[in-house]
Amino acid sequence: MSQTVDRALSILPLLAEGPADLGQVADRLGVHKSTALRLLRTLHEHGLVYRQSDQRYRLGARLIALAQEAMENLDIREIAHPHLVRLNEQCGHTVHLAVYEEDEVLYIDKVESRYPVRMYSRIGKPVAITVAAVAKLLLADLPEAERRSRADKLDYPLYTARSTPNAPAFLKELERVREQGWATDLGGHEESINCVAAPIRGADGRVVAAMSVSAPNVVVTADELLTLLPLVRRTADTISGEYSGKTPVKEVTP
Amino acid sequence: MSQTVDRALSILPLLAEGPADLGQVADRLGVHKSTALRLLRTLHEHGLVYRQSDQRYRLGARLIALAQEAMENLDIREIAHPHLVRLNEQCGHTVHLAVYEEDEVLYIDKVESRYPVRMYSRIGKPVAITVAAVAKLLLADLPEAERRSRADKLDYPLYTARSTPNAPAFLKELERVREQGWATDLGGHEESINCVAAPIRGADGRVVAAMSVSAPNVVVTADELLTLLPLVRRTADTISGEYSGKTPVKEVTP
DNA sequence: CTGATGGGTTGCATTCTCTGCAACGCTCGT
DNA sequence: ACGAGCGTTGCAGAGAATGCAACCCATCAG
């Protein structure tokens, strides 16, 4: 809608790939160097972009701080956190909390496994949307039409032999997840890692977040992990209750 | 430099305080509602801003993901992380890694204490710059003039009775820290929490980051914590060595 | 030492984008 | 049913952003 701002903001994902100098930025934006310079300067003033000693630009610290604040006023996170910790204390595995927003599913909280062998993941990292158990729950709750159109637009990378291969398979899986009210990812992302997940719902019954317990095969088998399902669901329901009682800020679907 | 972008970016910190509706944003920017709307739309397209069901705007998930990427290509972090973990395994306390950038000091990595009583902090959160041990190290390394001018511009909140009270005291402390090559914070931020910190240096000897070990009084006394100093310094030196050997990307001082 | 190259930076005239306005539409609540 | 409050849109004018060209200042080669 606003060309100048649009260009300026396009610089951010570009720099997220790694530092770049003025020329590179100008080229990739398709604008004159002087224009790029002024945009970068403005971003710099706001601390979103930082200049290294070699004159190249990279993303700035302010961005990290902003993101931090962004997460801190997500109500779900505040409410869910203690419950995630408790669940972790009970089962010892990695616990994740994720939300769906604008075509992305991302982790907004995490409690680390207490076993020495842990899965890799990071808060803020977008999730493998076609295979992650939490992603299935979040997408399964979208209205039919929406779900279908999203599914068609996605890529289906074959992380492993058990990854969701294509849109029809994904939609079928979503249907199943929708009916049973929980989801799993059995080696669909990393061969040796399994997850079980349950939805967190707002006052209107819509899924606002999803939580999961993940563990590698070497620690527990998929079957053993599944025995935790009731506990996970109970925790999710408790959070749902607390959440809908308190601040029913549901998110609009785009 | 660029008015439009400037205005658009000013929206972000504003929304960081909490969700706001169009009118509020327009007011605080001092522009017409239609202008604010168009700016917000552009931010929205880039996922930096999100619209809740109640029509209010808040910071978007893309921002969190961007910040994540920003952190992931901070080389120091990559290099330091395993060492921080090892240190944590040795002493059990909370370990932090912080950098200085554009008038802010912020944590870019953290390994949680293994004791039940933990201090509160979060990656990405700006640090109490006048009292934190890591902040002292990072500021102490600035050139004299720079240090003085920064010190004058700062606020000196009295978190506790032992907080740094004013600029002269701060400068004196920085001088001391500079000479001894390490720093402490003994109850200057939270009455019952102490820290010891050591600098991480690049190939040119400039301080590029600082790391600290923090623990509450109830776990170890300040004296006991100080016995960890050699270990902390050794760890920092190891990281320094590895860092300057590899990618000596030092940061320009603004 | 000199000249050339390549990057960043600045001043300026032109143009195009953004702005504010006013009218419209919509959803509440009365 | 009606009005108030908010978000939204079309438009014309104003002002801001753009690209150009010249400039600066390193670095490097001859």
Side-chain angles (χ1 to χ4, degrees):
Chain A
M1 284 274 95
S2 166
Q3 192 191 57
T4 317
V5 178
D6 188 45
R7 285 175 173 171
L9 297 182
S10 305
I11 294 178
L12 299 178
L14 191 158
L15 289 184
E17 295 168 19
D21 64 26
L22 181 60
Q24 297 169 325
V25 172
D27 282 352
R28 294 204 38 189
L29 279 187
V31 299
H32 196 267
K33 280 190 307 182
S34 58
T35 305
L37 177 66
R38 285 181 283 241
L39 295 177
L40 281 165
R41 274 228 260 266
T42 312
L43 289 168
H44 179 95
E45 269 170 26
H46 286 258
L48 297 184
V49 141
Y50 189 76
R51 200 149 193 204
Q52 301 179 159
S53 59
D54 58 359
Q55 301 266 82
R56 293 190 307 164
Y57 295 90
R58 63 165 176 72
L59 294 180
R62 176 100 258 158
L63 192 71
I64 300 172
L66 270 177
Q68 192 52 43
E69 297 186 67
M71 287 205 297
E72 292 199 343
N73 48 40
L74 289 177
D75 336 303
I76 314 174
R77 186 178 203 271
E78 295 299 307
I79 294 172
H81 190 76
H83 298 281
L84 304 186
V85 171
R86 180 133 22 91
L87 179 56
N88 168 267
E89 278 160 7
Q90 284 164 28
C91 71
H93 304 300
T94 303
V95 180
H96 278 113
L97 180 69
V99 293
Y100 173 75
E101 188 179 307
E102 316 266 1
D103 297 6
E104 280 184 345
V105 170
L106 44 89
Y107 294 131
I108 57 170
D109 204 359
K110 175 186 185 180
V111 185
E112 280 279 5
S113 168
R114 290 183 291 122
Y115 291 91
V117 185
R118 299 175 182 185
M119 74 176 281
Y120 172 77
S121 78
R122 272 221 174 267
I123 291 176
K125 203 177 174 63
V127 170
I129 203 168
T130 59
V131 296
V134 286
K136 291 175 189 172
L137 282 163
L138 291 162
L139 288 175
D141 186 62
L142 295 176
E144 165 92 32
E146 187 92 9
R147 224 183 313 157
R148 192 173 299 274
S149 99
R150 291 271 174 265
D152 284 341
K153 289 201 209 86
L154 292 174
D155 283 336
Y156 294 86
L158 290 173
Y159 305 105
T160 76
R162 275 174 293 179
S163 298
T164 312
N166 49 41
F170 190 47
L171 285 167
K172 198 171 149 214
E173 171 74 355
L174 291 188
E175 197 54 57
R176 210 166 64 98
V177 164
R178 189 184 173 81
E179 305 212 328
Q180 72 191 7
W182 50 273
T184 59
D185 162 24
L186 303 175
H189 184 46
E190 301 270 359
E191 193 62 65
S192 63
I193 293 186
N194 304 309
C195 307
V196 293
I200 295 167
R201 298 173 191 277
D204 55 358
R206 294 287 312 269
V207 174
V208 294
M211 59 180 293
S212 69
V213 170
S214 317
N217 266 325
V218 294
V219 175
V220 291
T221 65
D223 284 343
E224 285 167 338
L225 189 62
L226 277 171
T227 63
L228 290 174
L229 180 59
L231 179 60
V232 177
R233 297 187 74 180
R234 223 178 307 130
T235 306
D237 291 345
T238 307
I239 298 171
S240 298
E242 201 171 318
Y243 179 71
S244 24
K246 288 204 165 175
T247 356
V249 179
K250 51 187 194 286
E251 309 298 346
V252 77
T253 52
Chain B
M1 282 275 94
S2 168
Q3 192 191 59
T4 316
V5 177
D6 188 46
R7 285 174 173 171
L9 297 182
S10 305
I11 293 177
L12 298 178
L14 191 158
L15 289 184
E17 295 168 19
D21 63 25
L22 181 59
Q24 296 170 325
V25 172
D27 282 352
R28 294 204 38 189
L29 280 186
V31 300
H32 196 264
K33 280 189 306 183
S34 57
T35 305
L37 176 67
R38 284 181 283 243
L39 295 177
L40 281 165
R41 273 229 260 266
T42 312
L43 289 169
H44 179 95
E45 269 170 24
H46 286 258
L48 298 184
V49 141
Y50 190 76
R51 200 147 193 206
Q52 301 179 160
S53 58
D54 58 359
Q55 300 267 82
R56 292 192 306 164
Y57 295 90
R58 63 165 177 74
L59 294 179
R62 175 101 260 158
L63 192 70
I64 300 172
L66 270 177
Q68 192 52 42
E69 296 186 69
M71 286 204 297
E72 293 199 343
N73 48 40
L74 290 177
D75 337 298
I76 314 174
R77 188 180 203 270
E78 295 298 306
I79 294 173
H81 190 76
H83 299 282
L84 305 186
V85 171
R86 181 133 21 92
L87 179 56
N88 168 269
E89 278 161 6
Q90 285 164 26
C91 71
H93 304 300
T94 304
V95 180
H96 278 113
L97 180 70
V99 293
Y100 174 73
E101 187 179 308
E102 316 266 0
D103 296 5
E104 278 183 347
V105 170
L106 43 88
Y107 294 130
I108 57 171
D109 204 359
K110 176 186 185 182
V111 185
E112 280 279 6
S113 167
R114 288 184 291 122
Y115 291 92
V117 185
R118 299 175 181 185
M119 73 176 284
Y120 172 77
S121 77
R122 270 219 176 270
I123 291 176
K125 203 177 173 63
V127 170
I129 203 167
T130 59
V131 296
V134 287
K136 292 175 188 172
L137 283 164
L138 291 162
L139 289 175
D141 185 63
L142 294 177
E144 165 92 34
E146 187 92 6
R147 226 183 312 158
R148 193 173 298 275
S149 99
R150 291 271 173 267
D152 284 341
K153 289 200 210 88
L154 291 174
D155 283 336
Y156 294 85
L158 289 173
Y159 304 105
T160 75
R162 276 176 292 181
S163 297
T164 312
N166 50 41
F170 190 46
L171 285 167
K172 198 172 146 215
E173 172 74 356
L174 291 187
E175 197 53 56
R176 210 167 62 99
V177 163
R178 191 184 171 80
E179 304 213 327
Q180 72 191 7
W182 50 274
T184 59
D185 163 25
L186 303 175
H189 185 47
E190 301 270 357
E191 193 62 64
S192 63
I193 293 186
N194 304 308
C195 307
V196 293
I200 295 167
R201 298 173 190 277
D204 55 358
R206 294 287 312 270
V207 174
V208 294
M211 60 179 292
S212 69
V213 170
S214 316
N217 267 324
V218 296
V219 175
V220 291
T221 65
D223 285 343
E224 285 167 338
L225 190 62
L226 277 171
T227 63
L228 290 175
L229 181 59
L231 179 59
V232 177
R233 296 187 73 180
R234 222 177 310 129
T235 306
D237 290 345
T238 308
I239 298 172
S240 299
E242 202 172 315
Y243 179 71
S244 26
K246 287 204 166 175
T247 355
V249 180
K250 51 185 192 286
E251 309 297 347
V252 78
T253 52

